[in-house]
């Protein structure tokens, strides 16, 4: 059985413990590869290697670092079919999605920051005729990059690319549930001519390898994407050490549909926002609020559109939803469906485990539509992170706004309306980091990405990411 290895100091190595964890294929429920069960010893080695590589990597001119990164992106593009198949098998996402979203976006992330660092400039100020002030933005050293399982290589590269472009060296930990594409990617470091130790990848569990990265005194900052509970723990560990922190956390995103929307497009986009990647995207629109006049018609059309989605083998072209990532995660999602019923909800569609030909043990779940709940019940307050969406009516714009803002999260929101003034009003008042008007997951990598409230701290993307991985220093020269 294939054994994944850590990348430390340019070498692929076994974990210090000699132990491995099982990596399960969610379509079959079977173990298909093994993951290093790394601990603080592996992390210590990785940090030593990253520290040693820092003067070399950060001392290279930006265009030279960019050339190495662009080569890595070329290698992703060269191997996209292998990477897409690996991502689909590891996570359960459809091959279609991995091929069109995850893998192309991984190389795009790298190219974007390789280009960005060559345009990254700092400020200079003339202080009257008496002084010149200028700002140096220097990489801060070793960056810890911890990423989740839902968009594995996509989010892994979203973190390591700006860190490396800025000149930091990296100790990264992908999710133990989806380590395969980061492992395949680890071979590109040498092939692309990256100095040994600039990128280190330590696999293993969050509580062991992840926690060790956060605790290590020589890791100057952490870029983390994952759940809010984990983010809180990381913040509690990192704050007394004054580490730089970027936390991209959970969401419970409202999708607000006004009666004046473009109906067909709204239904189609809302279904996409609810169920893409089995609903396992932090940005999924999982609470749909529909203006009362349109409510019945919307629910009927939404259910009809959902009923066309095919749950099945993620490798099949006709499949829209693959299995959920683990048996435990499916159980958690099913727990929320049961809770929704207890809270007085009605299942308008789905809610069961479908039979998938040839894959009786996969972690499949039907896309599920629930109506009849209040906006403040637990089902509508807590992140489910699966193929479950709720639909509720609202009477007025003020009510829609109140419902939208009624959770502790503030990651993304979607508004469907043809009324431009209303769109602006809603965008100004919804408390979330991203507002999509008449679209969903339409991304421009230059924009600031991140959440308000318990959806996170800081912003990534564009200059924000390059600023995060660098520290500003003011130099003031007094003129004679
Ligand atoms: P998670 O359980 O918080 O794990 C995220 C990463 O942190 C994994 O690599 C995990 O390792 C690691 N980890 C766990 N405990 C740790 C600790 N004590 N110290 C350091 N690292 C630790 O999240 P997930 O279940 O993988 O991902 C789903 C969550 O991510 C959802 O809440 C979703 O909304 C959020 N998310 C947010 C964004 C965003 O941009 N805001 C994007 C995608 C996902 P193991 O996997 O090995 O436990």
């Amino acid at each position: 059985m294939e054994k994944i290895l850590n990348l430390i100091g340019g070498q692929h190595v076994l974990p210090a413990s000699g132990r491995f964890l099982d990596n399960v294929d969610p379509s079959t429920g079977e173990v298909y590869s093994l993951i290093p069960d790394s601990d603080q010893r592996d992390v210590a080695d990785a940090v030593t290697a990253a520290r040693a590589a820092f003067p070399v990597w950060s001392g290279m001119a930006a265009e030279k670092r960019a050339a190495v990164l662009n080569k890595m992106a070329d290698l992703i593009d060269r191997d996209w079919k292998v990477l897409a198949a690996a991502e689909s098998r590891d996570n359960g996402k459809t091959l279609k999605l991995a091929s069109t979203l995850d893998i192309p976006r991984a190389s795009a992330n790298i190219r974007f920051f390789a280009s960005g660092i060559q345009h990254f400039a700092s400020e200079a100020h003339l202080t009257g005729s008496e002084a010149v002030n200028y700002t140096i933005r220097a990489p801060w050293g070793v960056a810890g990059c911890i990423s989740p399982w839902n968009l594995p290589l996509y989010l892994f590269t979203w973190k390591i690319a700006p860190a490396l472009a800025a000149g930091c060296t990296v100790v990264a930990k992908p999710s133990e549930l989806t380590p395969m594409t980061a492992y395949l990617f680890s071979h590109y470091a040498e092939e692309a001519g990256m100095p040994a130790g600039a990128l280190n990848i330590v696999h293993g569990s969050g509580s062991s390898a992840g926690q060790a990265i956060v605790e290590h005194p020589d890791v100057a900052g952490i870029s983390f994407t994952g759940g809010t509970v984990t983010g809180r723990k990381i913040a509690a560990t990192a704050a007394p050490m004054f580490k730089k922190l970027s936390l991209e956390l959970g969401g419970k995103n409202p999708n607000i549909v006004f009666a004046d929307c473009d109906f067909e497009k709204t239904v189609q986009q809302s279904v996409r926002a609810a169920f893409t990647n089995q609903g396992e995207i932090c940005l999924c629109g999982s609470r749909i609020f529909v203006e009362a006049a349109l409510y019945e018609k919307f629910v009927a059309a939404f259910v009809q559109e959902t009923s066309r989605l095919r749950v099945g083998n993620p490798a099949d072209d006709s499949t829209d939803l693959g299995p959920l990532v683990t048996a435990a995660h499916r159980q958690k999602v099913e727990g929320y469906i049961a809770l929704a019923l207890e809270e007085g909800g009605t299942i308008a569609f789905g809610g069961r485990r479908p039979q998938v030909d040839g894959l009786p043990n996969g972690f499949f779940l039907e896309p599920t539509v629930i109506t009849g709940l209040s906006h403040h019940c637990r089902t509508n307050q807590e992140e489910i992170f699966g193929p479950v969406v709720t639909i509720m009516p609202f009477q007025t714009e003020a009510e829609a706004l109140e419902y939208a803002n009624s959770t502790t999260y503030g990651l993304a929101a979607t508004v469907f309306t043809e009324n431009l003034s209303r769109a602006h009003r809603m965008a100004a008042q919804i408390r979330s980091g991203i507002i999509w008007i008449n679209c969903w997951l339409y991304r421009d990598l230059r924009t600031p990405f991140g959440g308000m409230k318990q959806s996170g701290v800081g912003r990534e993307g564009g200059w924000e990411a390059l600023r995060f991985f660098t520290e500003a220093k003011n130099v003031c020269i007094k003129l004679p």
Side-chain angles (χ1 to χ4, degrees):
M1 189 167 304
E2 184 167 14
K3 271 188 178 160
I4 287 171
L5 297 173
N6 291 331
L7 176 71
I8 298 179
Q11 303 293 317
H12 281 98
V13 293
L14 295 164
S17 68
R19 287 194 310 267
F20 283 80
L21 305 165
D22 291 341
N23 190 22
V24 173
D25 176 340
S27 294
T28 62
E30 282 164 18
V31 177
Y32 82 100
S33 60
L34 297 171
I35 314 157
D37 185 6
S38 308
D39 58 28
Q40 75 278 9
R41 292 168 289 177
D42 307 284
V43 168
D45 289 348
V47 174
T48 302
R51 283 193 67 183
F54 182 68
V56 181
W57 181 245
S58 62
M60 282 166 69
E63 59 267 34
K64 290 215 165 117
R65 286 201 303 273
V68 173
L69 290 168
N70 279 324
K71 177 75 183 151
M72 291 177 108
D74 291 344
L75 296 173
I76 294 180
D77 293 345
R78 180 195 69 189
D79 295 346
W80 72 269
K81 279 191 179 163
V82 175
L83 291 165
E87 202 72 296
S88 171
R89 184 172 196 192
D90 221 16
N91 167 278
K93 68 177 66 230
T94 63
L95 184 57
K96 201 163 54 184
L97 192 70
S99 306
T100 54
L101 177 75
D102 294 74
I103 305 307
R105 178 59 191 278
S107 70
N109 284 339
I110 296 178
R111 286 190 206 289
F112 176 81
F113 288 109
S115 165
I117 196 61
Q118 297 180 75
H119 302 267
F120 190 52
S122 54
E123 311 79 35
H125 306 278
L126 278 179
T127 308
S129 56
E130 291 171 10
V132 175
N133 278 281
Y134 65 90
T135 306
I136 296 173
R137 283 195 173 272
W140 27 257
V142 180
C145 296
I146 301 176
S147 47
W149 51 260
N150 64 325
L151 299 164
L153 194 63
Y154 172 133
L155 288 174
F156 179 83
T157 50
W158 181 239
K159 304 193 161 299
I160 65 154
L164 290 166
C168 287
T169 51
V170 168
V171 176
K173 194 200 86 66
S175 170
E176 74 181 86
L177 305 178
T178 53
M180 190 53 90
T181 47
Y183 174 58
L184 297 173
F185 177 84
S186 70
H187 295 86
Y188 301 157
E190 189 182 357
E191 205 176 337
M194 182 168 275
L199 171 65
N200 303 275
I201 305 177
V202 180
H203 294 275
S205 74
S207 55
S208 176
Q211 184 72 21
I213 293 173
V214 182
E215 283 174 359
H216 198 294
D218 292 332
V219 174
I222 302 286
S223 170
F224 168 79
T225 297
T228 294
V229 172
T230 315
R232 186 173 292 124
K233 185 153 191 224
I234 288 175
T237 308
M241 302 170 86
F242 302 105
K243 294 194 178 199
K244 282 141 204 56
L245 267 188
S246 169
L247 302 174
E248 300 288 348
L249 309 177
K252 188 74 181 174
N253 311 301
N255 173 1
I256 304 164
V257 176
F258 286 97
D260 64 7
C261 67
D262 178 329
F263 186 71
E264 305 294 324
K265 278 192 194 146
T266 300
V267 172
Q268 186 246 328
Q269 286 298 306
S270 298
V271 169
R272 190 177 147 251
F275 299 124
T276 298
N277 206 43
Q278 299 75 243
E280 294 169 335
I281 299 185
C282 54
L283 305 164
C284 278
S286 55
R287 296 181 294 146
I288 307 182
F289 298 107
V290 185
E291 194 166 356
L294 193 67
Y295 180 74
E296 298 297 337
K297 183 178 168 194
F298 181 89
V299 172
F302 188 93
V303 165
Q304 196 187 20
E305 187 78 13
T306 302
S307 70
R308 293 204 188 102
L309 298 175
R310 196 174 160 275
V311 185
N313 185 334
D316 289 350
D317 233 19
S318 57
T319 297
D320 298 299
L321 281 85
L324 302 201
V325 69
T326 59
H329 187 56
R330 178 172 64 174
Q331 239 172 13
K332 179 189 146 190
V333 174
E334 287 172 330
Y336 275 106
I337 297 172
L339 175 69
L341 292 174
E342 275 170 39
E343 291 182 320
T346 303
I347 296 184
F349 187 83
R352 292 162 308 180
R353 297 181 177 190
Q355 292 305 314
V356 172
D357 279 351
L359 297 170
N361 300 318
F363 313 134
F364 298 95
L365 188 63
E366 290 173 342
T368 302
V369 183
I370 297 171
T371 56
L373 290 172
S374 75
H375 68 280
H376 50 67
C377 66
R378 269 185 62 207
T379 310
N380 273 326
Q381 291 291 313
E382 298 176 16
E383 187 184 41
I384 300 175
F385 212 58
V388 178
V389 72
T390 60
I391 314 183
M392 281 85 43
F394 69 83
Q395 300 293 337
T396 62
E397 191 178 307
E399 206 173 67
L401 194 60
E402 183 200 330
Y403 295 170
N405 284 338
S406 69
T407 73
T408 54
Y409 293 106
L411 187 55
T414 310
V415 179
F416 289 96
T417 177
E418 293 295 301
N419 179 330
L420 189 59
S421 304
R422 186 187 347 246
H424 282 299
R425 278 197 303 274
M426 294 298 284
Q429 293 179 85
I430 295 173
R431 298 268 301 141
S432 70
I434 303 158
I435 316 276
W436 278 298
I437 309 286
N438 297 328
C439 60
W440 176 75
L441 200 51
Y442 195 87
R443 292 276 292 122
D444 180 326
L445 302 190
R446 292 170 299 182
T447 58
F449 181 91
M452 294 185 181
K453 301 194 270 183
Q454 294 189 19
S455 287
V457 174
R459 293 291 181 274
E460 297 188 342
W463 298 138
E464 305 282 345
L466 294 175
R467 288 193 187 115
F468 174 71
F469 287 108
T470 54
E471 192 147 51
K473 183 192 286 175
N474 167 227
V475 180
C476 175
I477 304 171
K478 178 83 174 71
L479 300 175

